[in-house]
Amino acid sequence: MTLENKKIGLVVTGGIAAYKSLGLVRELIKQGASVRVAMTKAATEFVAPLSFETLSKNRVLTDLFSVKESKYVAHIEFADWAELMVIAPATANIIAKMANGIADDFVSTTLLATEAQKILVPAMNEHMLMNPATQRNLKFLEQNNVQIIEPEIGFLAEGYSGKGRFPELNVIMSVIQASFEDSDKPLEGKNVLVTAGGTRERIDPVRFIANDSSGKMGFAIAIEAQKLGANVTLISGISQLPDPIGVTTIRVTTALELSEAINKQFDDQNILIMAAAVSDYRVQNVADQKIKKAESTLTLILEKNPDILKHLGQIKQNQYLVGFAAETQNGLENAQEKLEKKNLDLLVLNDVSNSAIGFNSNDNEVTLLRPNRKNDFIKQTSKKQIAKELLATVISDLAK
Ligand SMILES: Cc1cc2nc3c(=O)[nH]c(=O)nc-3n(C[C@H](O)[C@H](O)[C@H](O)COP(=O)(O)O)c2cc1C
């Protein structure tokens, strides 16, 4: 039994597919899991709680205020008990509530309170699913570590074919099983420092030199490393992304601030992954006041910023050092040179001339270069997946 003693909270919301979750409880129990079910009021219109209660052999939780035992608060106890929360089926309504932090009934309050991993199984009418509000909410949740199982295309309850169907139980079961395999923590006890985002160098009080880095790659690495059990410190330059939960995040602006923050952290780290896009130069004399439009040309004198990666390569002891190279031409050649010159253990090369990948996009396509090893090419995929594969490479190198 692959889910022996795993504590799984099943959250059922008010969709037509609610009855299919009865089958999910049976499968989970068959695999040895301990299952507790919570239902929204709407869900109880579709299936009686008694059915879930009988299959799960546990009381079904539906009402925030009805549990009167004073020794615990029911939704918090449930939120803390579960190792995994599966929301199946997930209505457009609960997706919207989760994406906005709304907690107005037992289910939504529990989902806001839990720190368990969440798997969301949306099922609804195609138009509800494709509505920009639902798409935006799903995207937000995905970016915040909620795993989403894509609804299937097929015959809907409305009598026509479209996207929105509840997936087959074996699909949901395999995602649940994989999520526990992922919960293996190979980076437990390791300190990992990740840098992300772009730096910003002042010209005057209202102008600066910056770059197109969004921070998405570095943030994805920090999040995945944390999931693998690492103590992660993220030093972020300019990025609109929120601080990842469970990661110590330090925000900086300039290359010098970034360098200083890294130096403070360096000695304690086991793995350093430098994904920030650091400005090579800064303005020598930053103007105190806004520069006036006067002459037909304006000369700014730039001076070199410290080469952070090179410095780390020189001072590293046992640390595993990963660098990033954003190239627009002669990528492999330049990357190979950078790997050697900067004494890196791994260099991630990405071609930022292609707008489908690289800066600001959600996808990337990279080559991993390591000393005396053949290069690994990872074809276009999400930055999250790149982060996973990159960390798997680091972990396998450290195990040697
Ligand atoms: C017959 C019927 C079927 C419904 N099916 C769905 C569905 O499949 N997916 C969905 O998101 N909403 C569906 N709804 C709408 C939800 O029940 C409604 O938005 C409700 O407020 C959801 O509440 P909850 O998220 O608290 O469970 C359906 C409503 C009815 C009356």
Side-chain angles (χ1 to χ4, degrees):
M1 289 195 288
T2 50
L3 296 174
E4 191 79 51
N5 297 327
K6 300 289 185 222
K7 296 177 192 159
I8 300 179
L10 176 65
V11 171
V12 184
T13 62
I16 198 82
Y19 73 95
K20 294 187 180 173
S21 281
L22 290 169
L24 190 56
V25 178
R26 289 186 49 161
E27 287 303 314
L28 292 169
I29 299 271
K30 254 202 243 163
Q31 293 303 324
S34 180
V35 182
R36 286 170 67 183
V37 178
M39 299 174 79
T40 58
K41 201 162 177 306
T44 64
E45 296 284 336
F46 291 86
V47 184
L50 183 60
S51 301
F52 282 105
E53 212 150 284
T54 309
L55 288 173
S56 69
K57 300 189 176 56
N58 275 314
R59 181 160 56 159
V60 171
L61 301 153
T62 53
D63 185 22
L64 201 51
F65 301 104
S66 69
V67 185
K68 291 286 190 281
E69 289 95 330
S70 56
K71 67 177 189 297
Y72 60 79
V73 178
H75 64 277
I76 300 294
E77 190 274 334
F78 183 47
D80 291 347
W81 170 86
E83 291 170 74
L84 174 72
M85 285 285 182
V86 182
I87 305 106
T91 55
N93 182 51
I94 194 67
I95 292 166
K97 285 193 196 176
M98 286 172 73
N100 290 285
I102 292 174
D104 65 352
D105 62 4
F106 187 90
V107 158
S108 53
T109 310
T110 301
L111 290 173
L112 193 64
T114 191
E115 290 192 322
Q117 200 191 334
K118 298 180 204 79
I119 295 177
L120 193 72
V121 190
M124 66 197 70
N125 167 273
E126 185 177 29
H127 304 308
M128 291 171 78
L129 178 67
M130 299 319 288
N131 186 298
T134 308
Q135 289 297 311
R136 177 200 59 205
N137 293 335
L138 285 169
K139 198 167 167 197
F140 176 83
L141 292 173
E142 190 170 33
Q143 283 167 350
N144 285 276
N145 274 337
V146 176
Q147 194 169 356
I148 293 161
I149 304 184
E150 279 276 304
E152 288 181 0
I153 297 170
F155 193 72
L156 301 173
E158 291 77 6
Y160 53 84
S161 191
K163 189 171 178 184
R165 269 175 66 84
F166 193 75
E168 296 300 326
L169 289 187
N170 61 349
V171 174
I172 303 174
M173 285 300 289
S174 62
V175 175
I176 292 173
Q177 270 151 354
S179 81
F180 283 107
E181 281 152 25
D182 276 358
S183 70
D184 193 24
K185 306 273 188 217
L187 290 178
E188 188 105 63
K190 295 264 187 268
N191 294 335
V192 177
L193 179 70
V194 182
T195 66
T199 56
R200 187 179 274 185
E201 306 294 340
R202 279 271 149 227
I203 298 171
D204 69 13
V206 295
R207 302 183 180 94
F208 51 77
I209 298 172
N211 59 58
D212 280 325
S213 172
S214 63
K216 285 178 183 167
M217 190 66 245
F219 275 63
I221 295 167
I223 290 166
E224 294 308 316
Q226 195 265 345
K227 281 196 209 159
L228 294 169
N231 305 314
V232 183
T233 305
L234 172 66
I235 306 179
S236 173
I238 304 300
S239 171
Q240 302 304 321
L241 300 172
D243 292 3
I245 293 165
V247 168
T248 306
T249 305
I250 301 165
R251 302 273 177 173
V252 296
T253 303
T254 66
L256 286 179
E257 286 169 13
L258 182 74
S259 167
E260 200 178 307
I262 296 171
N263 288 338
K264 271 195 199 145
Q265 303 285 335
F266 182 77
D267 287 345
D268 299 330
Q269 303 301 323
N270 304 105
I271 300 167
L272 296 109
I273 304 178
M274 302 289 112
V278 186
S279 175
D280 291 332
Y281 292 90
R282 64 179 179 276
V283 178
Q284 198 172 54
N285 294 310
V286 179
D288 289 343
Q289 303 298 330
K290 186 179 169 201
I291 299 172
K292 292 271 180 240
K293 183 166 48 176
E295 310 299 325
S296 59
T297 61
L298 171 73
T299 305
L300 289 175
I301 298 178
L302 304 180
E303 63 184 320
K304 237 186 181 160
N305 273 324
D307 186 334
I308 297 174
L309 204 52
K310 189 171 171 195
H311 172 67
L312 296 178
Q314 284 162 351
I315 62 168
K316 76 175 174 150
Q317 305 283 322
N318 298 316
Q319 285 102 339
Y320 189 101
L321 181 59
V322 180
F324 271 72
E327 299 285 350
T328 53
Q329 57 183 355
N330 297 335
L332 267 179
E333 216 175 287
N334 292 340
Q336 188 61 42
E337 197 183 318
K338 190 167 173 179
L339 177 76
E340 289 161 22
K341 265 199 176 158
K342 304 204 175 182
N343 193 23
L344 307 179
D345 297 288
L346 195 159
L347 186 113
V348 184
L349 166 66
N350 52 351
D351 177 357
V352 289
S353 63
N354 179 352
S355 63
I357 54 174
F359 282 151
N360 231 328
S361 90
N362 291 323
D363 281 2
N364 208 349
E365 180 171 278
V366 300
T367 306
L368 306 186
L369 294 89
R370 287 175 290 163
N372 309 317
R373 306 288 290 273
K374 80 169 184 30
N375 298 342
D376 285 324
F377 176 65
I378 307 176
K379 71 171 177 25
Q380 185 173 344
T381 183
S382 66
K383 287 186 172 168
K384 177 177 172 175
Q385 189 56 31
I386 302 266
K388 283 187 175 188
E389 294 188 30
L390 166 63
L391 289 166
T393 305
V394 175
I395 290 162
S396 87
D397 278 1
L398 289 175
K400 281 178 190 134

